[in-house]
Amino acid sequence: MQDASGSGMLMIKTGDTRYRAMKPAALLLMEAGQFGWSSGLDDGWRKGPWTPQEDKLLIEHVDIHGEGRWNSVSRLTGLKRSGKSCRLRWVNYLRPDLKRGKITPHEETIILELHARWGNRWSTIARSLPGRTDNEIKNYWRTHFKKAKPTKASDRAQARARFLRQQQQGLQHNDDNQQQQHQHQLQLQEAERAIKGMMPQAQVAANIAQEMQELAIMFPAFSMFQAADCSAGSTSEEGSAWGSLWNLDDIGPGRPGLTATFVIVGPRVELTRPGSKSSAGSRPVTGPDPDARPSSGSGPIRASTRRPELGPKAWFDPGFGAFPGPERAQARPSPIRTPGWA
DNA sequence: AACGATCGCAACCGCCAACTC
DNA sequence: CGAGTTGGCGGTTGCGATCGT
């Protein structure tokens, strides 16, 4: 911890492991548990900003015990934090695979496009942006695009135009962003090559054909998901935005015209479709269009938050760890109450 | 320089599905 | 089969930093 700028601010390592300036007094209060949301313990749990010491304890805990069983963290580490708080801290800021730094123009484009398609399904959008969290994307959207209230097509167009202007400006003087973009593209290309070589295409085709048949019945407006604007290798602005996506046109034998999109999500590939809150597995879509759900609150239309083997978040893992996504940890045995943890 | 407005984002809350007992 | 637990998700809040006047 040190004075980074001579401004009297301390640079402490916050959860996102970027260094954030904080006033010394604030830091002292934080560490005394008297900062922010609570003046100490609430229901026995500490709230408010995490201290470096708390982060260290949590990181050590996860190193030893792995993710999950969050409610046991406080007992095993002495942290006065609820399990939910520990999980959130880890997922959003302490996870080692998180990408640091600002959202790149390329990522911005993806966020904008995916939000236009999926709405506020931040976790779904986050799966298409390796190293980014749903919280980060949600905040980014709210601060950059929410004010435009892009609920109508014209409003969305305005928001997009505004975004593109920002993107152009950003590209003009942001070499770092360009480098990040380039690296990201290389990662995506590597992922694409690996996946193309390893995917059992016949099985994929069969599964997709079944998915598409369901979709044809349930989502007549499925045409919006056609391939035109998101084919891989496109050199257009739109195409570059979808550099992480590729389509399998007419992949289902005997089902011409059906289109699926594979989203390369870190080390895996998700089959996406409109109407599913998250990516498709082999399970049928069971609810109405999630886009139609109320804008606030948690309605009954809600996808599974678990990951059953063939659930809505089923994905292919090509087996390399270039940028392991958050779900990789889910490959461990079930985190639910293993004997000895209770 | 002072002050208010706005921005950015970490962290919280409530809800709900999956799961165990 | 119902109650309790756990964890995932979207929405909201609070506060320091920055900007504009």
Side-chain angles (χ1 to χ4, degrees), chain A residues 7-155:
Chain A
S7 63
M9 306 285 274
L10 285 180
M11 301 301 284
I12 68 162
K13 197 171 190 181
T14 61
D16 64 356
T17 69
R18 285 173 288 183
Y19 287 87
R20 184 181 183 191
M22 294 197 74
K23 292 175 181 172
L27 181 59
L28 289 172
L29 286 169
M30 261 176 58
E31 297 193 347
Q34 306 209 356
F35 181 86
W37 285 257
S38 75
S39 58
L41 301 179
D42 183 14
D43 292 336
W45 300 122
R46 226 182 73 75
K47 293 185 178 180
W50 282 64
T51 65
Q53 287 78 14
E54 288 176 315
D55 284 345
K56 185 168 177 285
L57 284 172
L58 182 55
I59 290 169
E60 287 173 356
H61 173 83
V62 174
D63 280 346
I64 295 170
H65 302 290
E67 294 180 48
R69 301 142 180 147
W70 297 110
N71 280 348
S72 68
V73 173
S74 63
R75 191 165 11 92
L76 294 173
T77 67
L79 266 176
K80 300 287 186 194
R81 294 281 185 170
S82 69
K84 282 185 82 165
S85 183
C86 291
R87 177 191 156 273
L88 199 67
R89 184 65 176 173
W90 174 259
V91 167
N92 282 337
Y93 304 104
L94 298 179
R95 245 172 39 200
D97 56 308
L98 291 178
K99 187 185 284 186
R100 315 301 174 198
K102 290 188 173 296
I103 301 285
T104 66
H106 178 68
E107 289 171 323
E108 272 186 337
T109 307
I110 293 175
I111 290 169
L112 200 65
E113 293 290 349
L114 293 184
H115 186 272
R117 301 211 164 154
W118 293 334
N120 296 352
R121 279 176 262 168
W122 306 114
S123 62
T124 303
I125 295 171
R127 285 186 206 104
S128 297
L129 294 165
R132 300 296 186 184
T133 69
D134 55 353
N135 203 38
E136 190 175 8
I137 294 169
K138 180 171 58 181
N139 283 333
Y140 189 80
W141 170 264
R142 287 180 60 82
T143 54
H144 287 77
F145 302 110
K146 178 66 181 293
K147 282 181 177 177
K149 291 188 181 295
T151 53
K152 299 175 185 175
S154 59
D155 291 337

Side-chain angles (χ1 to χ4, degrees), chain A residues 13-327:
Chain A
K13 197 171 190 181
T14 61
D16 64 356
T17 69
R18 285 173 288 183
Y19 287 87
R20 184 181 183 191
M22 294 197 74
K23 292 175 181 172
L27 181 59
L28 289 172
L29 286 169
M30 261 176 58
E31 297 193 347
Q34 306 209 356
F35 181 86
W37 285 257
S38 75
S39 58
L41 301 179
D42 183 14
D43 292 336
W45 300 122
R46 226 182 73 75
K47 293 185 178 180
W50 282 64
T51 65
Q53 287 78 14
E54 288 176 315
D55 284 345
K56 185 168 177 285
L57 284 172
L58 182 55
I59 290 169
E60 287 173 356
H61 173 83
V62 174
D63 280 346
I64 295 170
H65 302 290
E67 294 180 48
R69 301 142 180 147
W70 297 110
N71 280 348
S72 68
V73 173
S74 63
R75 191 165 11 92
L76 294 173
T77 67
L79 266 176
K80 300 287 186 194
R81 294 281 185 170
S82 69
K84 282 185 82 165
S85 183
C86 291
R87 177 191 156 273
L88 199 67
R89 184 65 176 173
W90 174 259
V91 167
N92 282 337
Y93 304 104
L94 298 179
R95 245 172 39 200
D97 56 308
L98 291 178
K99 187 185 284 186
R100 315 301 174 198
K102 290 188 173 296
I103 301 285
T104 66
H106 178 68
E107 289 171 323
E108 272 186 337
T109 307
I110 293 175
I111 290 169
L112 200 65
E113 293 290 349
L114 293 184
H115 186 272
R117 301 211 164 154
W118 293 334
N120 296 352
R121 279 176 262 168
W122 306 114
S123 62
T124 303
I125 295 171
R127 285 186 206 104
S128 297
L129 294 165
R132 300 296 186 184
T133 69
D134 55 353
N135 203 38
E136 190 175 8
I137 294 169
K138 180 171 58 181
N139 283 333
Y140 189 80
W141 170 264
R142 287 180 60 82
T143 54
H144 287 77
F145 302 110
K146 178 66 181 293
K147 282 181 177 177
K149 291 188 181 295
T151 53
K152 299 175 185 175
S154 59
D155 291 337
R156 280 197 299 270
Q158 284 182 359
R160 177 168 178 74
R162 173 170 162 256
F163 156 73
L164 289 173
R165 281 197 301 273
Q166 290 176 350
Q167 184 185 30
Q168 281 200 337
Q169 290 169 2
L171 284 172
Q172 282 173 357
H173 33 64
N174 196 333
D175 290 343
D176 288 345
N177 280 347
Q178 284 187 347
Q179 285 180 1
Q180 279 187 31
Q181 269 185 271
H182 181 62
Q183 189 171 358
H184 190 197
Q185 286 288 350
L186 290 177
Q187 288 175 333
L188 293 169
Q189 287 167 11
E190 182 185 355
E192 188 171 337
R193 280 195 299 274
I195 292 157
K196 280 177 175 172
M198 299 181 71
M199 196 180 299
Q201 190 166 349
Q203 173 146 7
V204 171
N207 289 343
I208 292 171
Q210 186 179 344
E211 293 277 336
M212 297 304 127
Q213 193 170 24
E214 295 160 6
L215 287 167
I217 296 169
M218 301 184 72
F219 301 100
F222 186 51
S223 58
M224 71 164 279
F225 225 63
Q226 290 295 313
D229 65 340
C230 49
S231 55
S234 168
T235 56
S236 69
E237 171 191 271
E238 196 79 19
S240 67
W242 287 85
S244 59
L245 311 177
W246 22 287
N247 310 304
L248 295 178
D249 288 338
D250 303 340
I251 194 165
R255 290 180 172 85
L258 294 177
T259 299
T261 299
F262 280 95
V263 183
I264 303 173
V265 184
R268 64 193 187 278
V269 174
E270 293 185 353
L271 169 61
T272 67
R273 63 190 174 181
S276 61
K277 176 162 176 120
S278 50
S279 310
S282 60
R283 200 162 70 181
V285 176
T286 55
D289 185 355
D291 285 333
R293 70 188 177 88
S295 58
S296 64
S298 302
I301 306 163
R302 199 175 177 95
S304 165
T305 56
R306 299 298 170 123
R307 292 175 177 78
E309 192 169 341
L310 291 175
K313 293 179 183 175
W315 43 273
F316 299 92
D317 188 339
F320 61 93
F323 32 87
E327 277 82 16

